[in-house]
Amino acid sequence: VTAAAECRCMSPLLDQFVEWFDRENVAEVFDSFISTHACAFEGASSSPDAEQKLEWGELYQKYTKLFDEKLAAFLTEANTTSDEFLNVARHAEGVHEAYLQIFLAHAEYDVFVALMVEKANADK
């Protein structure tokens, strides 16, 4: 079975992911976290060379815990494993790819800092 054929067979899993993402308001959950904690990033720069505060790492740990809990909830609901999901996700296209990029980007520290700094500066 080719990867493309496997992807077509597994697209129901990605359809389920998109439906779950919307139903569970996943974007709003992350947005709420960002809004609640952005004040810790006031006046900061998202540049990789900028000073990083210890508090940011602690907030990032809480944020990734939230991310991991959300992902685990989806995997349980979909009755799949993270390996199976990531294998299918590698071949995602179109709307599936867009939703996955939104979701997975939240797990990266530099994206987290950029989002937090952007929100903190927007709230000034």
Side-chain angles (χ1 to χ4, degrees):
V1 176
T2 67
E6 184 175 318
C7 180
R8 281 193 297 277
C9 293
M10 295 301 289
S11 66
L13 179 60
L14 296 178
D15 290 340
Q16 189 175 358
F17 175 78
V18 169
E19 192 274 334
W20 168 84
F21 188 96
D22 288 339
R23 184 186 71 242
E24 296 296 320
N25 298 314
V26 173
E28 288 83 2
V29 169
F30 290 117
D31 289 345
S32 176
F33 183 97
I34 290 167
S35 293
T36 300
H37 300 286
C39 60
F41 293 77
E42 284 180 5
S45 168
S46 60
S47 168
D49 298 331
E51 180 181 343
Q52 304 279 311
K53 295 183 180 179
L54 183 60
E55 179 183 12
W56 296 3
E58 294 166 356
L59 286 172
Y60 179 67
Q61 288 177 347
K62 290 178 183 178
Y63 190 75
T64 57
K65 182 177 184 227
L66 177 63
F67 173 88
D68 291 344
E69 289 169 354
K70 287 293 177 191
L71 180 57
F74 169 72
L75 295 174
T76 298
E77 180 179 312
N79 195 29
T80 192
T81 66
S82 59
D83 288 340
E84 290 170 345
F85 178 66
L86 291 174
N87 184 46
V88 172
R90 281 189 199 103
H91 306 290
E93 296 177 348
V95 70
H96 296 146
E97 181 180 21
Y99 272 79
L100 286 165
Q101 285 180 353
I102 291 167
F103 186 72
L104 296 175
H106 283 87
E108 298 177 19
Y109 182 75
D110 58 337
V111 172
F112 167 77
V113 170
L115 291 169
M116 297 298 273
V117 169
E118 181 181 323
K119 179 63 177 167
N121 293 332
D123 287 346
K124 284 184 177 180

